[in-house]
Amino acid sequence: MRGQERFIIDLKGMKEEKATFKFDLGNDYFEALEAKDINGGTLQALLEVSKVGEAYLLDFQVGGVVIVPCDICLADMEVEVNTQSKMEVRLGDQYQEDDDIVTIPEEDGTLDVSWLIYEMTALAVPTRHVHEDGECDPAMLRKLEELSASDNEGGGSDPRWRGLEKIKSTFKE
């Protein structure tokens, strides 16, 4: 992710036991990540890093609005996101992820949090995204209606469905 060095946290070089990072994220952030599930948005991410012994505790808070396609008309729509997550990072021999514990190479000592923030955000977006009634793209709705009407006309339905209907009627009797 070129130009996104601001997301690299130098854990090994932390001078104090606690540090706070604030990230204002816009469409350029999602474009740089080549995010497939989120088309854009405006988010604020707050990260608090605390050094506790040999571990680093990361506390993320992300809030704002993301742009995702509507499941019905495919037009962009805004969805509000507000999420929080904690994880532990340790220094070790090689990069490794286990549940909420991430181990990073000790010789590097840095962690890129850009993808972690994206994953948290994507998981906070509801599984189903649909516009409120009357807000879907009318041209797309007309096209969908045309296609679904032509599929149901004149008995041109898929013969496999007719076979399933026979089975279904047998169980009803």
Side-chain angles (χ1 to χ4, degrees), residues 70-131:
C70 173
D71 291 341
I72 295 174
C73 70
L74 302 178
D76 283 345
M77 61 179 287
E78 292 184 347
V79 175
E80 193 170 320
V81 173
N82 193 3
T83 187
Q84 187 173 333
S85 181
K86 295 181 184 209
M87 69 182 317
E88 183 178 325
V89 178
R90 294 185 177 269
L91 301 176
D93 295 330
Q94 62 186 10
Y95 186 86
Q96 184 178 352
E97 287 185 42
D98 295 315
D99 296 326
D100 289 338
I101 300 175
V102 174
T103 304
I104 58 172
E106 188 165 1
E107 68 267 2
D108 186 17
T110 62
L111 178 68
D112 185 346
V113 296
S114 60
W115 190 253
L116 297 172
I117 294 170
Y118 173 75
E119 284 179 333
M120 285 178 24
T121 303
L123 288 172
V125 174
T127 307
R128 182 165 161 75
H129 3 93
V130 178
H131 282 110

Side-chain angles (χ1 to χ4, degrees), residues 40-75:
T42 305
L43 296 173
Q44 293 76 42
L46 188 63
L47 169 60
E48 187 175 281
V49 180
S50 303
K51 184 175 181 182
V52 180
E54 297 295 316
Y56 299 88
L57 303 178
L58 280 63
D59 185 2
F60 293 91
Q61 293 180 12
V62 180
V65 174
V66 294
I67 300 169
V68 295
C70 173
D71 291 341
I72 295 174
C73 70
L74 302 178

